[in-house]
């Protein structure tokens, strides 16, 4: 019997050819709403489910049998309640490394769009307005990368070796200076405040956990140079969107490039502080990892995790709730 795996429709469509070509597993597309997804899992007697970024808080964890598996189609797994999953005897995996290039490229492209005011120029041209204005070169500018993991290091590499930026790295984890220089980091700092004050661009690459909620606060933003831009391709909750609106609208920083939001699809937390109304903000709908290549890699990683799971090769799985190994052997 070929194992049945439910996969949310959005994720299935992103890598349909990869999922359909897998002969060892049968993938069933399902609604992403938790109640409907749980019903599909139960009706097909599936022991595995592939999820996107949406939040799952309740029925999902009782729909799967003990020993089942929840697979994130992506890296961030804040939408999955790991405590509930572990208590239900469920493995949780993600796809590390599969989207590094795509997210890093997107962060750089947001920087370039802001520096050269591409959205404004495009909008003017569409309305038959010829209004050329001066932009900035990226070369020689200071880029502060907050979170120097795989994606942050990719951003550093592209920025340093491709655009000649001076890249400063900050991370709460100890960093190897010699290793960091290979990725183009010119400097690693321990004082975040000093890094913020130096930066022409700041790119965020940290996870969304309770400790990082509103990491980019009003105080953080007030330390930035008035000519500086901030880029977020990590997770929405790490930025205080109301504070960001206030700082940008008052001209205290130059602008922002945002791909991730507190509410997705984007709805402003305060209707009077809608980031879409600011001309010097570039917004994209959480598409940092949405490339054909990254989606294929994520699907391949999902399949790798599934095959290892059904063969009980736990060391080959990208397990994020490690405590499950004490519950399920």
């Amino acid at each position: 019997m070929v194992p049945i795996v439910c996969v949310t429709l959005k994720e299935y469509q992103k890598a349909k050819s990869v999922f359909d070509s897998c002969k060892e597993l049968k993938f069933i597309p399902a609604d992403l709403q938790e109640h409907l997804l749980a019903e599909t899992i139960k009706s097909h007697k599936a022991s595995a489910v592939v999820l996107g970024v949406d939040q799952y808080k309740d029925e999902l964890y009782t729909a799967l049998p003990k020993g089942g598996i929840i697979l994130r189609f992506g890296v961030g797994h804040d939408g999955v309640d790991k405590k509930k999953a572990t208590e239900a005897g469920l493995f949780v995996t993600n796809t590390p490394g599969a989207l590094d290039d795509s997210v890093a490229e997107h962060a750089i492209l947001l920087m370039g769009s802001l520096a050269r005011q591409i959205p404004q120029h495009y909008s003017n041209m569409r309305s038959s307005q010829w209004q050329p204005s001066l932009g900035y070169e990226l070369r020689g500018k200071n880029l502060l990368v907050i979170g120097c993991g795989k994606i942050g290091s990719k951003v550093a590499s592209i920025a340093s070796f491709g655009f000649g930026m001076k890249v400063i790295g900050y991370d709460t984890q100890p960093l190897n200076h010699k290793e960091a220089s290979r990725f183009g980091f010119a400097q690693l700092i321990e004082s975040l405040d000093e890094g913020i004050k130096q930066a022409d661009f700041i790119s965020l690459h940290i996870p969304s956990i309770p400790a990082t909620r509103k990491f980019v606060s009003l105080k953080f933003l007030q330390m930035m140079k008035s000519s500086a831009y901030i880029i977020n391709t990590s997770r929405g909750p790490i930025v205080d969107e109301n504070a960001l609106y206030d700082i940008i609208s008052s001209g205290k920083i130059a602008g922002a490039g945002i791909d991730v939001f507190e509410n997705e699809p984007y709805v402003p937390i305060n209707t009077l502080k809608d980031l879409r109304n600011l001309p010097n903000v570039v917004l994209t709908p959480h598409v940092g990892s949405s490339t054909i290549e990254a989606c294929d890699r994520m699907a391949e990683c999902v399949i790798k995790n599934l095959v290892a799971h059904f063969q009980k090769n736990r060391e080959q799985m990208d397990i994020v709730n490690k405590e499950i190994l004490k519950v399920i052997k």
Side-chain angles (χ1 to χ4, degrees):
M1 179 79 70
V2 176
I4 293 175
V5 180
C6 290
V7 51
T8 49
L9 182 60
K10 186 168 58 174
E11 281 59 50
Y12 176 76
Q13 291 174 334
K14 286 180 179 179
K16 184 178 184 298
S17 61
V18 177
F19 288 129
D20 288 350
S21 66
C22 179
K23 305 305 180 186
E24 301 162 274
L25 305 160
K26 183 173 178 57
F27 290 92
I28 303 292
D31 197 292
L32 60 80
Q33 293 183 46
E34 187 164 13
H35 174 68
L36 297 175
L37 178 58
E39 287 299 314
T40 304
I41 290 169
K42 288 185 283 189
S43 66
H44 287 279
K45 293 183 171 57
S47 62
V49 62
V50 183
L51 307 175
V53 298
D54 302 273
Q55 295 279 331
Y56 294 91
K57 301 178 179 180
D58 190 17
E59 295 165 278
L60 176 70
Y61 306 97
T62 55
L64 291 162
K66 184 177 181 180
I69 181 171
I70 298 170
L71 305 106
R72 259 290 287 123
F73 188 86
V75 175
H77 41 81
D78 44 302
V80 179
D81 188 323
K82 272 76 70 182
K83 185 173 184 292
K84 277 191 175 181
T86 303
E87 289 172 350
L90 303 173
F91 291 86
V92 181
T93 63
N94 65 347
T95 61
L99 48 71
D100 296 354
D101 288 319
S102 292
V103 176
E105 286 182 7
H106 195 69
I108 294 290
L109 292 170
L110 287 173
M111 288 181 217
S113 294
L114 289 162
R116 302 305 294 269
Q117 302 171 44
I118 290 173
Q120 295 97 312
H121 289 315
Y122 175 70
S123 178
N124 290 338
M125 292 291 286
R126 291 273 293 183
S127 57
S128 301
Q129 297 179 62
W130 187 270
Q131 295 183 358
S133 59
L134 293 175
Y136 295 97
E137 292 181 355
L138 295 181
R139 180 169 294 279
K141 299 298 186 295
N142 291 334
L143 166 63
L144 171 62
V145 172
I146 299 178
C148 304
K150 291 182 179 180
I151 297 175
S153 294
K154 289 270 186 183
V155 169
S157 182
I158 298 169
S160 177
F161 302 129
F163 289 94
M165 301 180 80
K166 178 186 176 184
V167 186
I168 304 162
Y170 173 82
D171 204 304
T172 56
Q173 302 300 315
L175 297 169
N176 183 311
H177 287 250
K178 185 176 180 181
E179 184 73 12
S181 66
R182 291 180 50 244
F183 294 103
F185 287 102
Q187 181 184 2
L188 297 177
I189 58 172
E190 294 183 1
S191 170
L192 178 60
D193 291 1
E194 287 305 309
I196 294 170
K197 292 171 185 176
Q198 293 178 49
D200 298 300
F201 292 87
I202 297 173
S203 192
L204 303 167
H205 302 283
I206 55 178
S208 176
I209 56 177
T212 60
R213 182 164 180 78
K214 291 185 170 52
F215 177 87
V216 178
S217 61
L218 180 62
K219 180 183 176 183
F220 179 113
L221 294 163
Q222 287 173 331
M223 285 189 281
M224 292 175 62
K225 296 196 293 190
S226 60
S227 58
Y229 297 90
I230 189 162
I231 310 294
N232 187 14
T233 55
S234 53
R235 281 293 186 267
I238 70 174
V239 173
D240 184 334
E241 291 177 5
N242 287 339
L244 181 65
Y245 179 94
D246 290 340
I247 287 288
I248 295 175
S249 60
S250 63
K252 292 180 180 175
I253 69 170
I258 309 293
D259 184 50
V260 288
F261 305 89
E262 179 86 26
N263 299 315
E264 296 186 358
Y266 175 65
V267 177
I269 297 166
N270 181 336
T271 55
L272 299 177
K273 298 181 179 183
D274 192 332
L275 293 169
R276 293 170 294 193
N277 295 330
L278 299 176
N280 48 344
V281 174
V282 178
L283 305 176
T284 52
H286 202 149
V287 294
S289 63
S290 293
T291 63
I292 292 169
E293 296 86 351
C295 288
D296 283 352
R297 288 192 297 266
M298 285 188 280
E300 289 162 1
C301 190
V302 162
I303 291 169
K304 179 211 76 169
N305 276 311
L306 281 164
V307 171
H309 172 68
F310 288 118
Q311 293 177 349
K312 293 185 167 46
N313 291 328
R314 307 303 184 205
E315 69 281 357
Q316 295 180 19
M317 296 168 63
D318 301 299
I319 300 170
V320 296
N321 61 333
K322 299 291 187 182
E323 57 274 19
I324 190 66
L325 296 171
K326 300 175 184 176
V327 180
I328 305 290
K329 300 299 182 183

